[in-house]
Amino acid sequence: GEDPLPLRRAKITAEAAVKKAERATAAAGKARTQAEEDAVKASESRAAAEQDRIAAEARKQEAEAAVEEARAKVAEAEAYLEEVKAKPGQAQGALWYMSRELTEKKKYMPTAKGGIAK
């Protein structure tokens, strides 16, 4: 006979190659699963970020509406103060104090929203 050693060696080498290929396939499968999970997480994060942006936009609009309302109230208070000042026989000290308070409040409003420079 023929020498069985090269045949046995080839068989062992082939089995080792098959095992190596199976391990590589399993690792690739795990990596694919992980990548799919990461993609799902990323799309969830994107959706959450979009919802947060929408909520922030709504809060910004609410804040702008509140500033508008405050500006209207200040204008209304000033108009009333001027109306009261025009009437004779008013307590000038109280009127001065009210107008001073209005001026102080305006100092803390943004100038673009009707405030004054400090």
Side-chain angles (χ1 to χ4, degrees):
E2 195 177 316
D3 186 17
L5 189 60
L7 189 59
R8 199 174 334 142
R9 184 183 296 151
K11 188 176 178 184
I12 291 171
T13 307
E15 288 173 356
V18 166
K19 284 183 184 176
K20 191 174 180 182
E22 286 173 351
R23 283 194 302 266
T25 303
K30 283 183 184 176
R32 179 173 181 225
T33 303
Q34 185 64 41
E36 288 172 349
E37 289 173 4
D38 290 348
V40 168
K41 287 178 185 173
S43 62
E44 288 172 356
S45 295
R46 188 179 315 116
E50 182 66 17
Q51 288 176 342
D52 290 348
R53 186 191 66 76
I54 291 170
E57 189 71 27
R59 285 192 298 273
K60 179 183 172 197
Q61 289 176 349
E62 288 171 9
E64 287 175 353
V67 167
E68 277 301 316
E69 187 178 329
R71 188 184 316 158
K73 294 281 186 192
V74 167
E76 184 182 323
E78 285 179 327
Y80 181 71
L81 189 62
E82 290 304 315
E83 180 185 319
V84 170
K85 273 186 190 177
K87 293 180 183 173
Q90 299 301 323
Q92 292 302 316
L95 291 176
W96 175 86
Y97 192 76
M98 284 183 220
S99 89
R100 177 77 188 151
E101 278 186 331
L102 271 173
T103 306
E104 286 295 319
K105 299 281 187 233
K106 280 184 168 186
K107 286 183 182 178
Y108 293 98
M109 287 177 63
T111 52
K113 305 287 184 199
I116 57 174
K118 292 182 184 175

